[in-house]
Every structure is written in structure tokens, then in C-alpha cells.
Amino acid sequence: DHDTVVDVPDPGMIPDGNATLEDLIAAWDKSRKDLSKFLESCGPQDLERPVSRHPVTGPITVVECLRLLTSHFHHHRRRIEAAIEQIK
């Protein structure tokens, strides 16, 4: 695991500190439901077709997207854990 710095593709994704915990939970739940719905719509033939464009690597497949999401999740989890350690 290593972190690669990538510019945020949409400035609207940068946290401004104004979201409530309830807002964040609702957004997380919606993202998970949307991802689940998308994955359920994919057949085996869809897993290796490009479905998104990464700002650094270019087109990525469903499988690559899932690997990226997993890595991204763990990156943020480590940052959260480090922040919690700083306030203990």
C-alpha cells in the first residue's frame, strides 16, 4: 500500500467542513447503493470493459475500478486512524 497524490477531479468533492454527520452517512449510503446497483447490472462480459476514466491512468475497467475503490477506501481509513491518534 502506498499513496499516490492525484488532483481532485471535481472541486465539489473537496470537503468544506459544513456537512453534518447525517449528511455524510446519507451520501455514503447512496454511493454504496448506487455501486451495488451498477455491479448487479454487470455480467461477466462487462467486467473487463472500460467504465470510467482515471485522471492519471486513463480508462479503467470494472475490475480495476473496484481495486481502485478498495485502495482509496484504505487510504482514507489510514488518514482517519492517524487523525484519531493525534487527538488521543
Side-chain angles (χ1 to χ4, degrees):
D1 281 310
H2 69 285
D3 295 329
T4 302
V5 177
V6 176
D7 289 335
V8 176
D10 177 357
M13 297 172 72
I14 299 172
D16 62 11
N18 292 322
T20 66
L21 180 57
E22 291 79 18
D23 293 338
L24 296 172
I25 291 170
W28 177 257
D29 287 344
K30 182 180 181 326
S31 292
R32 287 180 51 132
K33 286 177 186 170
D34 290 347
L35 177 60
S36 179
K37 187 183 225 181
F38 169 75
L39 292 173
E40 287 173 5
S41 75
C42 290
Q45 73 281 2
D46 298 317
L47 299 180
E48 294 299 331
R49 71 178 171 87
V51 293
S52 187
R53 180 165 186 79
H54 189 274
V56 173
T57 62
I60 58 175
T61 66
V62 172
V63 171
E64 291 167 331
C65 193
L66 290 173
R67 287 184 185 129
L68 178 63
L69 285 171
T70 300
S71 174
H72 193 76
F73 175 82
H74 289 297
H75 162 77
H76 283 283
R77 188 188 72 205
R78 287 190 307 272
R79 293 197 56 191
I80 291 167
E81 289 169 351
I84 290 170
E85 283 301 313
Q86 286 182 348
I87 60 173
K88 282 186 176 180

